[in-house]
């Protein structure tokens, strides 16, 4: 029986990152004048994401997305081809108008717990060494996106665990703690 496909970058196993990795470039899928985004550090919280908003390559049920500080992200070629996919979304996803690939997502609301982080797809890089995916988020959302039937979810979660990507139907505990800490500080429940 064929293994359940999750995403091309993890289907053959999650590849470990390189300690001390310093970053690299992401390139869209356009054959001419591609958009290039330079990342001046490694990524964090790399994960498989089942949400309906994240860009996924053809045939993938999940996206693979990570974060890094927004001051480490710069558009270095053909930025004129970028357009925000949905101006009403919390994460402003900047996509190439030529190929549709999401190059980075940015949160502009300063009171959001993840303000200051940009969301990127490390698979768009030819550079090797990015921090490896660590978990899977919003797993149940693949039912909404047409990627799975409810009866298949046990097999999906089993495959994620086989890949050592702990499945969550929200974010992983560390990120959920970050959100709760941010909200508690805003409310004055927790000292800043």
């Amino acid at each position: 029986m064929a293994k359940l496909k999750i995403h091309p970058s993890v289907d053959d196993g999650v590849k470990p990152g390189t300690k001390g990795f310093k970053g690299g470039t992401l390139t869209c899928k356009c054959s001419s004048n591609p958009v290039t985004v330079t990342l001046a550090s490694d990524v964090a919280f790399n994960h498989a994401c089942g949400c309906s908003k994240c860009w996924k390559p053809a045939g993938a049920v999940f996206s693979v997305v990570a974060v890094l500080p927004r001051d480490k992200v710069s558009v270095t070629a053909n930025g004129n081809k970028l357009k925000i996919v949905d101006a009403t979304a919390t994460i402003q996803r900047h996509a190439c108008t030529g190929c549709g690939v999401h190059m980075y997502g940015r949160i502009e609301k300063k009171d959001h717990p993840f303000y200051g982080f940009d969301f990127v797809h490390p698979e768009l890089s030819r550079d090797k060494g990015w921090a490896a995916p660590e978990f899977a988020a919003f797993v149940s959302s693949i039912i909404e996106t047409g990627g799975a039937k409810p009866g298949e979810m046990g097999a999906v979660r089993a495959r994620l665990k086989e890949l050592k990507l702990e499945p969550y139907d929200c974010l992983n505990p560390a990120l959920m703690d970050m959100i709760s800490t941010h909200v508690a500080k805003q409310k004055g429940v927790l000292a800043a």
Side-chain angles (χ1 to χ4, degrees), residues 24-31 33-38 55 76-78 96 99 101-103 121-127:
T25 58
L26 308 180
T27 305
C28 77
K29 301 290 186 182
C30 289
S31 57
N33 301 316
V35 176
T36 302
V37 173
T38 298
W55 172 79
T76 49
N78 299 305
C96 174
C99 63
V101 169
H102 295 188
M103 297 304 295
H121 300 277
E123 74 201 67
L124 296 173
S125 180
R126 290 184 191 105
D127 303 299

Side-chain angles (χ1 to χ4, degrees), residues 6 136 154-168:
I6 299 296
V156 169
R157 286 185 180 89
R159 178 67 177 134
L160 290 167
K161 285 184 176 202
E162 181 182 319
L163 292 167
K164 302 202 178 4
L165 299 172
E166 187 64 32
Y168 298 103

Side-chain angles (χ1 to χ4, degrees), residues 72-153:
K72 301 293 185 188
V73 177
S74 57
V75 179
T76 49
N78 299 305
N80 60 314
K81 292 175 68 175
L82 291 175
K83 182 177 179 183
I84 295 173
V85 175
D86 178 358
T88 65
T90 301
I91 301 172
Q92 300 289 292
R93 291 167 174 88
H94 296 255
C96 174
T97 56
C99 63
V101 169
H102 295 188
M103 297 304 295
Y104 70 97
R106 179 165 284 171
I107 295 174
E108 298 294 353
K109 290 179 60 180
K110 291 184 178 180
D111 64 342
H112 191 280
F114 296 149
Y115 176 78
F117 290 108
D118 281 355
F119 296 75
V120 296
H121 300 277
E123 74 201 67
L124 296 173
S125 180
R126 290 184 191 105
D127 303 299
K128 304 295 181 211
W130 298 101
E134 304 169 335
F135 62 96
F138 304 108
V139 173
S140 294
S141 294
I142 67 169
I143 296 169
E144 301 167 34
T145 61
K149 294 180 174 79
E152 298 172 339
M153 294 307 295

